[in-house]
């Protein structure tokens, strides 16, 4: 069981600031693709809209109902997704998952601020919520290109 110091470290001021100032909270009126994801353990959920031109994201909107960790991850993704390709989103996804599950490094730029979630490595029950935005973004891109 975690002690209070561990929880304070987990919910750092930076994580809370990211969660409180999340960009992209307006859904797109005419998205190229939309996806919804839910973390079954905690009930966090997200809907992501993307607009694509060619293979690049040109618009991003989301509706996030998640814990502060999921919100912080969604904040970083929303701030950096425009201009990215599916391959870049997949790389960020894979790097974040490795950081959380197998002591991998933080994701590369432009998603390197996800390193703020490193203390969550010890909280496996939070990983699904943290991964929601990248999972849903990949699904939305796939829906747009299907």
């Amino acid at each position: 069981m975690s002690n209070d110091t561990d929880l304070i470290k987990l919910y750092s001021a930076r994580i809370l600031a990211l969660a409180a100032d999340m960009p992209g909270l307006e859904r797109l009126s005419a998205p190229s693709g939309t996806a919804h994801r839910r973390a079954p353990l905690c009930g966090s959920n997200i809907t992501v809209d993307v607009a694509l031109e060619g293979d690049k994201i040109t618009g991003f909107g989301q509706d996030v109902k998640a814990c502060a960790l999921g919100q912080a991850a969604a904040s970083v993704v929303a701030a950096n997704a425009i201009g990215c390709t599916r391959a870049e989103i997949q790389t960020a996804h894979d790097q974040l998952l490795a950081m959380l599950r197998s002591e991998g490094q933080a994701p590369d730029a432009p998603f390197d601020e996800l390193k703020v979630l490193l203390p969550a490595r010890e909280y496996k029950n939070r990983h699904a919520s943290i991964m929601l935005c990248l999972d849903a973004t990949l699904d939305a891109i796939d829906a747009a290109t299907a």
Side-chain angles (χ1 to χ4, degrees):
M1 195 78 200
S2 304
N3 64 37
D4 289 342
T5 303
D6 290 338
L7 288 175
I8 289 168
K9 183 170 63 172
L10 180 61
Y11 290 101
S12 70
R14 185 63 187 141
I15 286 174
L16 296 176
L18 285 166
D21 190 27
M22 194 180 335
L25 287 176
E26 194 167 307
R27 300 277 310 273
L28 301 182
S29 60
S32 303
T34 297
H36 179 80
R37 280 288 188 119
R38 180 178 180 277
L41 188 60
C42 66
S44 292
N45 66 80
I46 186 169
T47 302
V48 170
D49 297 324
V50 296
L52 298 178
E53 286 185 20
D55 66 345
K56 294 204 182 271
I57 297 172
T58 57
F60 185 93
Q62 60 184 348
D63 179 26
V64 181
K65 306 281 190 276
C67 67
L69 300 172
Q71 290 177 31
S75 181
V76 173
V77 173
N80 296 289
I82 293 178
C84 288
T85 64
R86 187 192 192 290
E88 291 166 323
I89 299 294
Q90 184 69 57
T91 296
H93 175 278
D94 296 347
Q95 290 174 331
L96 179 58
L97 195 60
M99 180 187 89
L100 292 172
R101 293 193 179 162
S102 60
E103 299 191 26
Q105 298 297 312
D108 296 333
F111 299 101
D112 50 328
E113 193 165 11
L114 289 168
K115 69 181 172 246
V116 73
L117 296 163
L118 185 59
R121 181 182 284 163
E122 305 299 321
Y123 299 87
K124 294 182 187 311
N125 61 332
R126 308 292 181 156
H127 293 182
S129 181
I130 292 168
M131 297 302 300
L132 275 179
C133 189
L134 287 168
D135 287 337
T137 302
L138 289 168
D139 290 350
I141 293 168
D142 291 346
T145 58

